[in-house]
Coordinates of all heavy atoms in Angstrom, one line a residue:
S1 N 0.8 -1.2 0.0 CA 0.0 0.0 0.0 C 0.9 1.3 0.0 O 0.6 2.2 -0.7 CB -0.9 0.0 1.2 OG -1.8 -1.1 1.2
T2 N 1.9 1.2 0.8 CA 2.8 2.4 0.8 C 3.5 2.6 -0.5 O 3.6 3.8 -1.0 CB 3.9 2.2 1.9 OG1 3.3 2.2 3.2 CG2 5.0 3.2 1.9
K3 N 3.9 1.6 -1.2 CA 4.5 1.7 -2.5 C 3.5 2.3 -3.5 O 3.8 3.2 -4.3 CB 5.0 0.4 -3.0 CG 6.2 -0.2 -2.2 CD 6.6 -1.5 -2.8 CE 7.8 -2.1 -2.1 NZ 8.2 -3.5 -2.6
D4 N 2.3 1.8 -3.4 CA 1.2 2.4 -4.3 C 0.9 3.8 -4.0 O 0.9 4.6 -4.9 CB -0.1 1.6 -4.1 CG 0.0 0.2 -4.7 OD1 0.9 -0.1 -5.6 OD2 -0.8 -0.7 -4.3
I5 N 0.8 4.2 -2.7 CA 0.5 5.6 -2.4 C 1.6 6.5 -2.9 O 1.3 7.6 -3.4 CB 0.3 5.7 -0.8 CG1 -1.0 5.0 -0.4 CG2 0.3 7.2 -0.4 CD1 -1.1 4.8 1.1
E6 N 2.8 6.1 -2.8 CA 3.9 6.9 -3.3 C 3.9 7.0 -4.8 O 4.1 8.1 -5.4 CB 5.3 6.4 -2.8 CG 5.5 6.6 -1.3 CD 6.9 6.2 -0.9 OE1 7.4 5.1 -1.4 OE2 7.6 6.9 -0.1
S7 N 3.6 5.9 -5.4 CA 3.5 5.9 -6.9 C 2.3 6.8 -7.4 O 2.4 7.3 -8.5 CB 3.3 4.5 -7.4 OG 2.0 4.0 -7.2
F8 N 1.3 7.0 -6.6 CA 0.2 7.8 -7.0 C 0.5 9.3 -6.8 O -0.3 10.1 -7.2 CB -1.0 7.5 -6.1 CG -1.6 6.1 -6.2 CD1 -2.2 5.5 -5.2 CD2 -1.4 5.4 -7.4 CE1 -2.7 4.2 -5.3 CE2 -1.8 4.1 -7.5 CZ -2.5 3.5 -6.5
G9 N 1.6 9.6 -6.2 CA 2.1 11.0 -6.1 C 2.3 11.6 -4.7 O 2.7 12.7 -4.6
A10 N 1.9 10.8 -3.7 CA 2.1 11.4 -2.3 C 3.6 11.6 -2.0 O 4.4 10.9 -2.5 CB 1.5 10.4 -1.3
Q11 N 3.8 12.7 -1.3 CA 5.2 13.1 -1.1 C 5.7 12.7 0.3 O 6.8 13.0 0.7 CB 5.4 14.6 -1.2 CG 5.1 15.1 -2.7 CD 3.8 16.0 -2.7 OE1 2.9 15.8 -1.9 NE2 3.7 16.8 -3.7
G12 N 4.9 11.9 1.0 CA 5.4 11.4 2.3 C 4.4 10.4 2.8 O 3.3 10.2 2.4
I13 N 4.9 9.6 3.8 CA 4.2 8.6 4.5 C 4.3 8.9 6.0 O 5.4 9.1 6.5 CB 4.7 7.2 4.2 CG1 4.6 6.9 2.7 CG2 4.0 6.1 5.1 CD1 3.1 6.8 2.2
T14 N 3.2 8.9 6.7 CA 3.1 9.1 8.1 C 2.6 7.9 8.9 O 1.6 7.3 8.4 CB 2.3 10.3 8.5 OG1 2.9 11.5 8.0 CG2 2.0 10.5 10.0
V15 N 3.2 7.6 10.0 CA 2.7 6.5 10.9 C 2.7 7.1 12.3 O 3.5 7.9 12.6 CB 3.5 5.2 10.8 CG1 3.5 4.6 9.4 CG2 5.0 5.5 11.2
H16 N 1.8 6.6 13.1 CA 1.7 7.0 14.5 C 1.5 5.8 15.4 O 0.4 5.4 15.7 CB 0.5 8.0 14.6 CG 0.4 8.7 15.9 ND1 -0.2 9.9 16.1 CD2 0.8 8.3 17.2 CE1 -0.1 10.3 17.4 NE2 0.4 9.3 18.0
P17 N 2.6 5.1 15.7 CA 2.5 4.0 16.6 C 2.2 4.4 18.0 O 2.7 5.4 18.5 CB 3.9 3.3 16.5 CG 4.8 4.5 16.2 CD 4.0 5.4 15.3
R18 N 1.2 3.7 18.6 CA 0.9 3.9 20.0 C 1.4 2.8 20.9 O 1.7 1.7 20.4 CB -0.6 4.2 20.2 CG -1.0 5.5 19.6 CD -2.5 5.8 19.8 NE -2.8 7.2 19.5 CZ -3.0 7.7 18.3 NH1 -3.0 6.9 17.3 NH2 -3.3 9.0 18.2
P19 N 1.5 3.0 22.2 CA 2.1 1.9 23.0 C 1.4 0.6 22.9 O 2.0 -0.5 23.0 CB 1.9 2.5 24.4 CG 2.0 4.0 24.2 CD 1.3 4.2 22.9
D20 N 0.1 0.6 22.7 CA -0.6 -0.7 22.6 C -0.6 -1.3 21.2 O -1.1 -2.4 21.0 CB -2.1 -0.6 23.1 CG -2.9 0.4 22.2 OD1 -2.4 0.9 21.2 OD2 -4.1 0.6 22.6
E21 N 0.0 -0.6 20.2 CA 0.2 -1.1 18.9 C -1.1 -1.5 18.2 O -1.2 -2.5 17.5 CB 1.2 -2.2 18.8 CG 2.6 -1.7 19.3 CD 3.7 -2.8 19.1 OE1 3.9 -3.6 20.0 OE2 4.3 -2.7 18.0
R22 N -2.2 -0.8 18.5 CA -3.5 -1.2 18.1 C -3.7 -0.9 16.6 O -4.7 -1.5 16.0 CB -4.6 -0.5 18.9 CG -4.7 1.0 18.7 CD -5.8 1.6 19.6 NE -6.0 3.0 19.5 CZ -5.3 3.9 20.3 NH1 -4.5 3.4 21.2 NH2 -5.5 5.2 20.2
H23 N -2.9 -0.1 16.0 CA -2.9 0.0 14.5 C -1.5 -0.2 14.0 O -1.1 -1.3 13.7 CB -3.6 1.3 14.0 CG -3.4 2.5 14.9 ND1 -2.1 3.0 15.2 CD2 -4.3 3.2 15.6 CE1 -2.3 4.1 16.0 NE2 -3.6 4.2 16.3
I24 N -0.7 0.9 13.8 CA 0.7 0.7 13.4 C 1.5 0.0 14.5 O 1.4 0.4 15.7 CB 1.3 2.1 13.1 CG1 0.7 2.6 11.8 CG2 2.8 2.0 13.0 CD1 1.1 1.9 10.5
R25 N 2.2 -1.0 14.2 CA 3.0 -1.7 15.1 C 4.5 -1.1 15.0 O 4.8 -0.6 14.0 CB 3.1 -3.2 14.8 CG 1.7 -3.8 14.9 CD 1.7 -5.2 14.3 NE 0.3 -5.8 14.4 CZ -0.1 -6.7 13.5 NH1 0.7 -7.2 12.6 NH2 -1.3 -7.2 13.6
Y26 N 5.2 -1.3 16.1 CA 6.6 -0.8 16.0 C 7.4 -1.4 14.9 O 8.2 -0.8 14.2 CB 7.3 -1.0 17.4 CG 6.9 0.1 18.4 CD1 5.6 0.5 18.6 CD2 7.9 0.8 19.0 CE1 5.3 1.5 19.5 CE2 7.7 1.9 19.9 CZ 6.3 2.2 20.2 OH 6.1 3.2 21.0
Q27 N 7.1 -2.7 14.7 CA 7.8 -3.4 13.6 C 7.4 -2.9 12.2 O 8.2 -2.8 11.3 CB 7.5 -4.9 13.7 CG 8.4 -5.7 12.7 CD 9.9 -5.6 12.9 OE1 10.4 -5.6 14.0 NE2 10.6 -5.4 11.8
D28 N 6.2 -2.4 12.1 CA 5.8 -1.7 10.8 C 6.7 -0.6 10.5 O 7.1 -0.4 9.4 CB 4.3 -1.2 10.9 CG 3.3 -2.3 11.0 OD1 3.6 -3.4 10.4 OD2 2.3 -2.1 11.6
A29 N 7.0 0.2 11.5 CA 7.9 1.4 11.3 C 9.3 0.9 10.8 O 9.8 1.6 9.9 CB 8.0 2.2 12.5
R30 N 9.8 -0.1 11.4 CA 11.1 -0.7 10.9 C 11.0 -1.2 9.5 O 11.9 -0.9 8.7 CB 11.5 -1.8 11.8 CG 11.7 -1.4 13.3 CD 12.2 -2.5 14.1 NE 12.4 -2.1 15.5 CZ 11.5 -2.4 16.5 NH1 10.4 -3.1 16.2 NH2 11.7 -2.0 17.7
D31 N 9.9 -1.9 9.2 CA 9.7 -2.5 7.8 C 9.5 -1.4 6.8 O 10.1 -1.5 5.7 CB 8.6 -3.4 7.8 CG 8.8 -4.7 8.7 OD1 10.0 -5.0 9.0 OD2 7.8 -5.3 9.1
L32 N 8.8 -0.4 7.1 CA 8.5 0.7 6.2 C 9.7 1.6 5.9 O 9.8 2.1 4.7 CB 7.3 1.6 6.7 CG 5.9 1.0 6.7 CD1 5.0 1.7 7.6 CD2 5.4 0.9 5.3

């Protein structure tokens, strides 16, 4: 999805991991 969003023209990707990792996980930030 990130690769697609960038290919569509977005100039940045934002993530907001929270301590309970209920959406973005800390590992997601590493992978992204």
